[in-house]
Amino acid sequence: MTNLRKVKTAVIGYGKISGIYLDNMINQFEILDVVGCGGTDIQKAEAKASFHGIKGMHMDEILQDPEIELVVNLTPATAHYGIIKQALEAGKHVYTEKIVTPNLAEALELKALAERHNLRLGCAPDTFLGAAIQTARHVIDHGGIGTVVSCHAAVNRDMGFLYEPGAFTTKPGGGIGFDVGIYYITSLLSILGSVEKVSGFADNTQSTYVVENPSSPYFGETLETQNENIMIASMRYKNGVYGTVNFNANTIWPQVPVLTIHGTEGILYLPDPDRFGGKVLLQKKGMSEPIEIPHMYG
């Protein structure tokens, strides 16, 4: 590992999620040289950066620094398009917190821009790289459930208990499908490959909520949401597998995660894909109860 050329990296965004990103990037990845944390508010950037022993930078300073090769974008989804576009035009590779943008046409434009400049554009979630999903993939790749036939993903939440005025979860890109369901979809794509056809619904069936959490300073206040609270879809993968998703923001808390892959010889039950670990359960033909598969990766 001593001959690796480290990639000079800077983070744009200093919100709640930046702490775990910076901690992991600095302490867990030898290939990264994290040099700064920035944004449009230099004071907030400097406060976050000083905690991690790096430099606080204005976003323009990051984009104009020729030595910074990679930008990790941790801003809200509504800001993604503009920031990613500026970073790509400045010649930086970009890894962005989910999702690329809430708008498909803008996401495709950024993809084309990255390809035109020979740059990498990556996107969270990355939890499919964790031990649980990789173990599940190993089981399936080695015929553990026979030929895969179908899959199902579902997550149900009472977002009325979680919403607060102005929170990112009330904005475009922060809904049950794009903020949470994407973990499930990404996990299935990583195991089963690309989808060739999809049909479904995404809707905001209840745009007005009252904050239900009594410990919230906004308890009892009314708020408006601008994203989907339900996403239902049927998918056909290129390999012939069929799948369904059911993401519902107007049901119960705590959430109930479901991620299941069905094969001709068995069923694989995957844990919450919002985590890197969790139990992987396999139920083969003739078995009355599933067995736990030990993690094959760290």
Side-chain angles (χ1 to χ4, degrees):
M1 298 293 284
T2 56
N3 294 325
L4 281 176
R5 183 184 66 81
K6 294 191 175 186
V7 179
K8 283 195 177 294
T9 304
V11 168
I12 296 178
Y14 30 67
K16 183 178 179 181
I17 197 66
S18 64
I20 189 64
Y21 265 90
L22 285 166
D23 184 43
N24 284 335
M25 290 164 61
I26 292 169
N27 298 311
Q28 302 293 337
F29 290 87
E30 294 181 31
I31 198 171
L32 298 180
D33 179 15
V34 183
V35 297
C37 175
T40 54
D41 187 325
I42 189 63
Q43 290 184 323
K44 289 182 178 179
E46 288 176 344
K48 179 66 70 170
S50 64
F51 183 82
H52 293 277
I54 56 178
K55 182 182 179 182
M57 308 172 74
H58 192 277
M59 189 175 78
D60 291 342
E61 185 182 358
I62 292 174
L63 297 178
Q64 293 167 12
D65 188 332
E67 292 191 350
I68 293 176
E69 301 173 80
L70 170 64
V71 167
V72 176
N73 175 37
L74 304 180
T75 61
T78 50
H80 282 187
Y81 171 75
I83 291 174
I84 294 172
K85 186 174 183 179
Q86 289 182 71
L88 292 172
E89 289 176 337
K92 316 295 186 189
H93 303 287
V94 179
Y95 181 88
T96 189
E97 174 68 344
K98 58 180 194 240
I99 48 182
V100 176
T101 77
N103 180 285
L104 178 59
E106 290 179 346
L108 293 174
E109 177 190 339
L110 295 175
K111 176 178 179 289
L113 180 61
E115 290 171 347
R116 198 158 60 244
H117 290 280
N118 196 28
L119 296 168
R120 298 295 184 111
L121 173 59
C123 180
D126 54 5
T127 49
F128 75 93
L129 295 169
I133 304 302
Q134 290 299 309
T135 295
R137 177 172 178 169
H138 180 91
V139 171
I140 290 170
D141 286 350
H142 288 79
I145 61 172
T147 301
V148 178
V149 179
S150 67
C151 60
H152 176 62
V155 63
N156 299 279
R157 281 184 170 185
D158 178 6
M159 289 303 293
F161 190 77
L162 298 175
Y163 285 138
E164 289 190 347
F168 80 94
T169 51
T170 68
K171 309 292 185 182
I176 188 71
F178 285 143
D179 183 52
V180 186
I182 194 65
Y183 288 97
Y184 296 72
I185 292 172
T186 299
S187 296
L188 290 173
L189 291 173
S190 74
I191 294 171
L192 301 174
S194 298
V195 169
E196 66 177 4
K197 191 171 185 179
V198 62
S199 176
F201 304 90
D203 202 359
N204 184 351
T205 62
Q206 180 185 340
S207 60
T208 302
Y209 289 81
V210 175
V211 178
E212 299 175 3
N213 185 354
S215 64
S216 169
Y218 303 100
F219 177 63
E221 290 190 22
T222 300
L223 58 86
E224 297 287 327
T225 62
Q226 300 173 292
N227 54 44
E228 75 286 344
N229 56 31
I230 192 160
M231 186 180 285
I232 309 288
S234 298
M235 305 170 292
R236 186 174 70 205
Y237 290 78
K238 287 184 177 180
N239 60 7
V241 174
Y242 288 85
T244 57
V245 300
N246 183 338
F247 306 138
N248 186 341
N250 289 353
T251 175
I252 64 171
W253 184 262
Q255 69 186 41
V256 180
V258 177
L259 189 57
T260 311
I261 300 177
H262 306 261
T264 56
E265 299 296 325
I267 300 173
L268 201 61
Y269 301 95
L270 284 67
D272 185 347
D274 198 356
R275 303 286 183 264
F276 287 91
K279 292 183 179 181
V280 178
L281 302 177
L282 171 64
Q283 188 164 357
K284 302 275 283 187
K285 276 185 176 181
M287 294 170 54
S288 58
E289 297 289 338
I291 59 170
E292 182 177 349
I293 304 299
H295 287 172
M296 300 173 182
Y297 304 92

